[in-house]
Each structure stands twice: as structure tokens, then as C-alpha cells.
Amino acid sequence: MLAYIIRRLLLIIPTLFGIMVINFIVIQAAPGGPIEQLIATFEGTAVDLTARVSGAGPTETLDDGLPGGGVGGGPGDATTSKYRGAQGLDPELIQELERQFGFDKPAHERFFQMLWNYMRFDFGESFFRDRTVVDLVLEKMPVSISLGLWTTLLVYLISIPLGIAKAVRDGARFDVWSSGVIIVGNAIPSFLFAILLIVLFAGGRYFDWFPLRGLTSPNWEDMSTIQQVGDYLWHMVLPVVSMVIGGFAGLTLLTKNSFLEEINKQYVVTARAKGLSERRVLYGHVFRNAMLIVIAGFPSAFVGILFTGALLTEIIFSLDGLGLLGFEAAIGRDYPVMFASLYFFTLLGLIMQLIGDITYTIVDPRIDFESREV
């Protein structure tokens, strides 16, 4: 197993490199960029989408009025600038902007400099926030971790027992009506369910039982420890419920189908013929084999819930997490935040896949990755 883990860790390097190359090329080809954003601001034609989404304040700059340096974009001649709207602006200003953003270097130099910095976990500074990317990520991390962990935990705690119960009662009344509930939950997007919860329980129209925004109350620091825990859980109820409703349907059906496939196999018939109780057959023999496919999907499910599935939920409930940070960086062309988020998410996803393989062997020791080629 150790040799397999080492091979997988080594395979992360070219995989991560390839993903970064593809996305870097795509960004270079995409129209717009941070310099265009500033030129539009100078011309008075900029549209601050991030402020509309998150209610953020004005753009933060360095002492000289220019954003911090970084990677991305492309170089341009100040005299015959390729930037739309740059005509009429001082060419020296355009050159200074390119130097500040690091666009005065060829694309390949910027790319390899970025990779060298990322290998040392130096992600630079945000173009428009005057803060390091690491500080931004650490600030937003508690929100996304809270949403991801609670949602994943509840989804698995609900889906696995429900899927087993549906498999055991396949075709019965319980299976039919629970399937109806699952279909409805799967058909309603989580963000629509989040809006419904706000209307019903957050003072939108009927009840005012839960807070509408934020992870904690403004006076959270003045509370006792027990009050802080209660306040935190109180704020998490609606966002987590909205994400769980949209996430448990697929895993429930996957668990049910996996158990049905195992229940109909010959070794189960043999175990029953030996006089073993139904509970021992189900949890002593079927469970271990049926859970393999569920465990295989855990890494992708966790990463998806943690970083992508929570985006709209963070926007609706005004939760300033990593999903919202990445969205604002994309529409605002904040390349250091964009590429650092991509690098971090990809690396975490690859590591989670390896953890999923290791969990495979824990659940079923018969699986031997040593004898397989990566």
C-alpha cells in the first residue's frame, strides 16, 4: 500500500501542472482583465458586480493608489495600447499599471514564476483588496468549512440509513412514498429551497425564527461559550438545511441500488440458508460490500459541497466564504485569488481521492492496490 500511495502522490505533480497550464491559457484568451477593470474605473464605466453581490465596500489600493502586484493578463504597448478605452490616458500610467500587475513580462515567464511561488505556498497579494491571498483564504475558510462539514455529515447520516431501509423494503409503501420525497427534493434546486426557507422562517413573510445573514450575531464576542455555540448553530440551520435537501437524494438512491445488487447475490442466499439473522446478513456481509461505491464518491462529494455547491447558498445568506470569494475574483479578474483558489481546490481534490482509495482498503481489506498499475 505504501508504494501505491507514493505513486499517487507523485502523480499529483503532473496532474496539477496540466490543470494549471490549461486554465492559465484559457485566462489569457479570455477578454478583459484587471487593467481593463481599472481603465473602466478611470473612464467611469465600470460596473461593480462584486459590490452588488456581496455588498462589499470600495476597492482597496496601495498607498500609491495602484493595486498590488501579481500574475495574469497580458502585456501591452502604452503608446498603441491594446486595452479598450486606454486611448486618451497617459501612456506612462498604462506602463505603470502593467508593471504593478506584472504584465510587463511574457506569459510563459509569469506562468513559471507563479508555479515557483505556489510550490513555496506563496500566493501573492490580491489585485484589488490590498491583502495577501493566504489571509483572504484563511478569513473565508471557517464559513466554507462549516457549510461543507455539516452538510456532508448530515447528508451521509440521512442518506445511508434511508437507502438501506428502502433496499430492505423495496417495492413496499415506505419505498414508494420516500421515493416521492426524494424526487421532489432532487427536483428543487438548493438555492430555490433556500429562498423558500427565508420566506417561511427568516422573516420573509411568515415566521421570524432564524437570522437572515451571517455566521454569527454582531455581539457574538460578548457571549459566553455556550451562547456562542448556540448562536453559531442557530445561524447554520437554514443554510445547511437548504444544501442537505439538494444533496441527499442522489446518495440515497446510490445506497439503495448498491444494497439491492448485493442482496441478490449468491453469498447472501448462502448466509441466510445457514440460519444467520437478517440483521447479521445485512450488516455483517452486505454492508461492507455495498458501501464501497458510496465511499468511492465521498471525496468528490465533499469537495463539491465544500467549495462549489455552497456558492449560491453563501450569496443568498450573505455568508462570506470561499465560494463567494472565488466568484468575486472571477468576475473582477483578480487573478492571484483565482489561480490560488484553483490550485488549492485542485490539490485538495486530488488528496481527497487518495484518501478515498485508502478508505477502500480499510472497509474491505481484500482490495489490493499494490498489484495494480496507476
Side-chain angles (χ1 to χ4, degrees):
M1 188 64 186
L2 179 61
Y4 173 78
I5 294 176
I6 295 176
R7 293 199 303 268
R8 285 294 300 270
L9 289 175
L10 294 177
L11 188 61
I12 288 177
I13 299 175
T15 304
L16 190 60
F17 177 79
I19 293 174
M20 296 299 295
V21 167
I22 294 174
N23 284 274
F24 189 86
I25 293 174
V26 170
I27 293 300
Q28 305 309 304
I35 292 184
E36 286 84 347
Q37 295 275 342
L38 284 183
I39 291 174
T41 301
F42 296 152
E43 297 292 331
T45 59
V47 178
D48 192 354
L49 296 177
T50 59
R52 290 186 179 184
V53 171
S54 62
T59 300
E60 299 173 359
T61 56
L62 297 175
D63 293 337
D64 58 0
L66 295 175
V71 295
D77 185 359
T79 304
T80 58
S81 177
K82 69 175 183 178
Y83 303 115
R84 181 181 301 178
Q87 288 75 16
L89 295 178
D90 187 354
E92 294 184 359
L93 173 62
I94 303 299
Q95 289 181 340
E96 179 65 14
L97 290 175
E98 291 180 346
R99 184 188 65 80
Q100 289 282 350
F101 284 123
F103 297 165
D104 55 338
K105 300 177 182 178
H108 67 278
E109 290 187 14
R110 287 183 277 112
F111 176 73
F112 285 108
Q113 180 64 42
M114 180 185 70
L115 289 185
W116 170 246
N117 291 335
Y118 284 8
M119 289 173 59
R120 297 178 289 125
F121 292 94
D122 178 11
F123 299 110
E125 290 189 359
S126 167
F127 282 160
F128 304 115
R129 296 175 183 258
D130 193 22
R131 298 181 60 187
T132 64
V133 175
V134 173
D135 289 342
L136 287 173
V137 171
L138 291 179
E139 179 184 334
K140 316 298 182 183
M141 185 74 77
V143 175
S144 295
I145 289 180
S146 296
L147 287 174
L149 288 180
W150 284 115
T151 302
T152 305
L153 178 63
L154 290 178
V155 164
Y156 271 77
L157 288 178
I158 294 173
S159 299
I160 293 179
L162 181 58
I164 295 174
K166 286 175 64 63
V168 174
R169 299 170 178 84
D170 184 39
R173 183 175 300 177
F174 172 81
D175 183 38
V176 174
W177 71 257
S178 61
S179 296
V181 174
I182 290 174
I183 292 173
V184 173
N186 194 39
I188 301 178
S190 59
F191 71 91
L192 287 181
F193 196 78
I195 296 175
L196 177 62
L197 291 177
I198 291 175
V199 172
L200 293 178
F201 303 112
R205 187 176 180 87
Y206 298 99
F207 305 102
D208 191 9
W209 293 348
F210 297 97
L212 180 59
R213 59 184 300 153
L215 192 63
T216 56
S217 298
N219 61 335
W220 188 80
E221 294 183 355
D222 299 329
M223 299 179 182
S224 64
T225 302
I226 297 178
Q227 290 176 329
Q228 288 179 341
V229 173
D231 182 73
Y232 163 76
L233 295 176
W234 182 46
H235 281 75
M236 291 300 300
V237 170
L238 294 187
V240 170
V241 169
S242 67
M243 295 179 63
V244 168
I245 292 298
F248 85 99
L251 184 60
T252 299
L253 294 178
L254 178 64
T255 304
K256 175 191 174 182
N257 295 333
S258 179
F259 266 79
L260 283 177
E261 182 181 358
E262 293 297 324
I263 287 174
N264 295 324
K265 289 185 177 180
Q266 184 62 42
Y267 74 90
V268 177
V269 177
T270 303
R272 287 171 175 167
K274 291 181 177 180
L276 297 180
S277 65
E278 189 67 20
R279 183 179 183 85
R280 185 173 180 183
V281 171
L282 187 62
Y283 292 100
H285 294 76
V286 176
F287 184 83
R288 183 177 63 180
N289 296 325
M291 281 295 98
L292 289 176
I293 190 172
V294 176
I295 292 173
F298 174 79
S300 59
F302 177 77
V303 174
I305 291 174
L306 187 58
F307 296 115
T308 59
L311 171 58
L312 292 177
T313 302
E314 290 180 5
I315 295 175
I316 292 172
F317 289 98
S318 299
L319 299 172
D320 196 8
L322 291 176
L324 185 58
L325 175 66
F327 173 74
E328 292 179 349
I331 63 176
R333 299 298 195 270
D334 197 344
Y335 291 149
V337 177
M338 287 176 58
F339 285 114
S341 300
L342 173 68
Y343 180 88
F344 178 71
F345 296 166
T346 303
L347 180 61
L348 180 62
L350 294 172
I351 293 176
M352 289 300 297
Q353 290 180 356
L354 176 59
I355 293 176
D357 288 346
I358 296 175
T359 311
Y360 255 137
T361 61
I362 296 176
V363 176
D364 190 350
R366 295 173 298 175
I367 296 179
D368 182 16
F369 287 107
E370 291 283 359
S371 59
R372 300 176 57 191
E373 295 293 335
V374 179

